[in-house]
Amino acid sequence: MTTQPPPYGGGPHPYGPPPPPPGAAPGFGPPPPPSAFAAQPPQQALEGPEFMAVDRHNSIVVDSAGVAFEDHGHSAEFPWHEIRSVHYKAGPNGKTLMMAVIHLDGRFYECVVDARSRDTLGRWFAELAAILGYYKPLA
């Protein structure tokens, strides 16, 4: 005599999870072993120069991870391996840093940060030249 498989929906699936033990609430099981929640060692950040320009609404950060923009509460992060190039210039008023990140696929993203003075903007430009040369020497 040949055994027929149960009709669709008729019994436990042979490859599904085992049924819960008697008296256990469905969908809940024993707690995971403590090793599942063991603290992972912190990732060692690569050492290197950092740049940060911040105003009331926006910020630009350049560090070992890449470039990060924040624009009125919206943020975007660009790791170095996804960046084709980074460009920056002064805004029309002479006190604004305008930066663009060109993605490998050609898309570009911009962020604008107001400096307190033209001297601050000059310092930012000097820092950016050195830091971008460090991380993207061919950019």
Side-chain angles (χ1 to χ4, degrees):
M1 176 169 149
T2 309
T3 306
Q4 295 273 338
Y8 183 76
H13 190 279
Y15 300 107
F28 294 95
S35 63
F37 294 107
Q40 298 294 323
Q43 294 283 336
Q44 290 292 335
L46 299 175
E47 295 295 322
E50 298 176 349
F51 170 82
M52 184 183 326
V54 179
D55 67 16
R56 289 184 0 204
H57 303 288
N58 304 333
S59 68
I60 296 172
V61 176
V62 180
D63 60 16
S64 61
V67 179
F69 291 162
E70 184 166 334
D71 188 349
H72 291 83
H74 300 282
S75 60
E77 296 180 4
F78 309 97
W80 288 116
H81 69 274
E82 295 178 0
I83 297 174
R84 178 183 296 167
S85 60
V86 178
H87 305 274
Y88 60 95
K89 67 178 182 178
N93 67 3
K95 289 180 23 179
T96 304
L97 169 62
M98 301 172 71
M99 181 178 279
V101 170
I102 313 300
H103 204 266
L104 288 176
D105 64 9
R107 291 178 291 161
F108 69 94
Y109 303 87
E110 297 177 300
C111 190
V112 177
V113 176
D114 293 324
R116 292 181 187 246
S117 68
R118 292 173 195 252
D119 291 338
T120 300
L121 186 62
R123 283 194 303 275
W124 286 353
F125 278 19
E127 290 176 39
L128 277 171
I131 291 171
L132 291 173
Y134 181 87
Y135 292 117
K136 293 292 275 186
L138 301 176

